[in-house]
């Protein structure tokens, strides 16, 4: 009896060990399935070869562009028409979910429009050589990456061919107005960031955003600069100074800004108000104020808060 009892016990523990091993395997597989899903994402090969546009200095044109995300019911953008010339700045205004980021994603060719076309210097984005096109665009999205690396490398990530170039880090940080706070860190550009490391420092939201801005300025060859709400965690004065600075540096470049702060938005040459994926108003600050529509309402609403 004793022997059978012991055998039964041993069998029981073997079965439970087997079950927990199977459970563990299933769990690991779930983690890996994300990787496989990513690896299987179809990426259409780039067929474009254009290195230069047909009409240099024409800037960016959207012609009747519509786009629906794969699997989504409603289109995210409807019949968008706009033209931005080199040297101009454009601000996008609209509620969350109105399609502002989607417009930037189409411009950076992360997605292709379902209908209509986007032209850069008179040539369709699809006909551009992909790496030439990407070199011309510098974007900071609102959910930019916060690398657990040194400060300098976080800035250098903006242009991988100059990842370790300390002189370029300095230059980009000056433009992104990050130098002052970086110099106040214990080891300057060599400071380790992130809590994964023993001596890693964590930065405030506004400080991370300054690093992200500096990263955008690493792309010195980019003549289209896009800031998608990267200054939301900064104070209003810092945001206004940065945008002013951004416009000065932009020179003959195209600057596109998404912001909810009208004090900054008003400085842009063109302002576009997007609602549910459609452009509802378009013009300069003065024109839109004179129009007395949605923009004028939102502007005075925000201005009232400061009175
Ligand atoms: P905004 O930048 O103005 O806040 P977005 O351009 O991010 O707005 O989003 C526009 C619309 O597209 C929203 O309704 C959002 O839910 C939808 N959307 C955004 N990203 C995706 C995605 N990857 N897949 C499906 N729908 C998306």
């Amino acid at each position: 009896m004793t022997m059978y009892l012991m055998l039964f016990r041993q069998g029981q523990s073997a079965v439970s060990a087997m079950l927990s091993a199977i459970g563990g395997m299933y769990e690991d597989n779930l983690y890996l399935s994300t990787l496989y899903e990513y690896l299987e994402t179809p990426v259409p090969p780039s067929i474009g070869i254009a290195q230069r546009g047909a009409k240099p200095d024409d800037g960016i044109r959207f012609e009747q562009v519509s786009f629906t995300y794969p699997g989504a019911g409603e289109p995210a953008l409807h019949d968008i028409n706009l033209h931005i010339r080199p040297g101009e700045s454009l601000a996008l205004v609209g509620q969350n979910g109105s399609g502002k980021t989607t417009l930037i994603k189409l411009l950076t060719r992360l997605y292709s429009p379902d209908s209509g076309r986007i032209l850069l210097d008179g040539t369709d984005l699809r006909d551009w050589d992909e790496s030439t096109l990407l070199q011309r665009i510098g974007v900071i999205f609102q959910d930019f990456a916060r690398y657990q690396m040194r400060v300098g490398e976080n800035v250098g990530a903006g242009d991988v061919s100059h990842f370790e170039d300390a002189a370029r880090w300095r230059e980009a940080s000056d433009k992104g107005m990050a130098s002052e706070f970086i110099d106040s860190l214990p080891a300057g550009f060599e400071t380790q960031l992130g809590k994964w490391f023993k001596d890693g420092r964590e930065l405030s939201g506004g400080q991370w955003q300054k690093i992200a801005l500096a990263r955008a300025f690493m792309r010195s060859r980019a003549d289209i600069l896009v800031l998608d709400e990267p200054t939301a965690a900064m104070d209003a004065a810092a945001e206004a100074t940065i945008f002013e600075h951004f416009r000065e540096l932009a020179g003959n470049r195209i600057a596109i800004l998404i912001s909810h702060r009208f004090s900054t938005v008003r400085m842009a040459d063109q302002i576009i108000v997007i609602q549910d994926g459609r452009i509802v108003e378009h013009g300069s600050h003065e024109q839109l104020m004179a129009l007395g529509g949605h923009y004028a309402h939102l502007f005075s609403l925000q201005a009232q808060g400061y009175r």
Side-chain angles (χ1 to χ4, degrees):
M1 273 304 280
T2 312
M3 191 185 76
Y4 280 128
L5 213 64
M6 276 185 51
L7 273 180
F8 179 70
R9 284 260 170 85
Q10 273 173 3
Q12 216 179 14
S13 59
V15 168
S16 89
M18 216 162 75
L19 285 178
S20 71
I22 291 174
M25 259 159 63
Y26 178 68
E27 195 181 321
D28 293 345
N29 194 29
L30 281 182
Y31 284 114
L32 272 182
S33 64
T34 323
L35 173 68
Y36 286 125
E37 218 171 276
Y38 169 69
L39 292 177
E40 281 165 14
T41 313
V43 182
S46 163
I47 44 166
I49 47 161
Q51 304 272 346
R52 300 184 58 223
K55 278 195 276 177
D57 299 332
D58 187 50
I60 300 167
R61 277 177 197 272
F62 277 60
E63 292 179 349
Q64 293 168 343
V65 172
S66 297
F67 175 71
T68 310
Y69 278 103
E74 288 283 300
L77 287 179
H78 261 296
D79 203 18
I80 302 289
N81 288 298
L82 64 94
H83 183 201
I84 322 165
R85 289 175 198 83
E88 277 189 351
S89 54
L90 169 80
L92 299 173
V93 181
Q95 287 173 337
N96 293 327
S98 54
K100 305 181 294 295
T101 305
T102 308
L103 199 142
I104 304 301
K105 286 183 181 165
L106 290 181
L107 175 65
T108 45
R109 230 175 73 171
L110 292 176
Y111 292 94
S112 292
D114 299 333
S115 63
R117 47 185 206 151
I118 305 172
L119 306 169
L120 172 62
D121 288 348
T123 300
D124 196 313
L125 287 193
R126 279 173 279 218
D127 299 330
W128 275 90
D129 170 55
E130 197 161 357
S131 57
T132 312
L133 179 70
L134 294 184
Q135 272 173 10
R136 292 194 52 181
I137 306 179
V139 191
I140 291 295
F141 283 109
Q142 46 190 328
D143 51 353
F144 59 85
R146 296 162 188 220
Y147 300 112
Q148 308 259 327
M149 297 195 286
R150 290 178 297 150
V151 172
E153 289 164 340
N154 260 288
V155 174
D159 186 349
V160 284
S161 51
H162 294 277
F163 186 60
E164 294 281 352
D165 188 338
R168 290 282 298 275
W169 295 346
R170 166 66 62 188
E171 200 183 310
S173 309
D174 286 341
K175 291 180 184 169
M177 311 194 71
S179 291
E180 200 180 318
F181 107 82
I182 292 174
D183 289 338
S184 70
L185 293 173
F189 283 98
E190 300 299 323
T191 313
Q192 176 65 48
L193 294 182
K195 283 287 168 215
W196 290 1
F197 296 91
K198 196 166 130 266
D199 298 321
R201 280 181 71 105
E202 201 36 82
L203 300 179
S204 76
Q207 289 171 333
W208 269 117
Q209 289 188 335
K210 284 187 178 167
I211 292 206
L213 277 168
R215 194 183 296 162
F217 284 114
M218 277 297 285
R219 302 181 74 81
S220 52
R221 271 175 300 172
D223 52 7
I224 302 170
L225 283 174
V226 185
L227 302 185
D228 182 354
E229 285 185 58
T231 44
M234 290 182 197
D235 48 278
E239 179 177 309
T241 324
I242 282 175
F243 187 61
E244 191 70 48
H245 193 65
F246 178 67
R247 271 204 327 176
E248 272 167 30
L249 286 171
N252 206 29
R253 301 175 181 184
I254 290 177
I256 302 180
L257 170 88
I258 299 183
S259 171
H260 291 291
R261 288 217 186 96
F262 287 86
S263 49
T264 316
V265 167
R266 66 180 296 174
M267 296 189 227
D269 301 320
Q270 285 190 59
I271 299 166
I272 282 180
V273 184
I274 300 188
Q275 221 172 19
D276 298 328
R278 290 171 201 274
I279 296 185
V280 289
E281 284 170 26
H282 183 181
S284 66
H285 172 76
E286 285 72 26
Q287 287 166 340
L288 292 182
M289 287 308 280
L291 187 71
H294 198 67
Y295 176 84
H297 173 68
L298 290 177
F299 184 86
S300 35
L301 209 65
Q302 214 173 71
Q304 255 172 23
Y306 291 117
R307 273 193 198 118

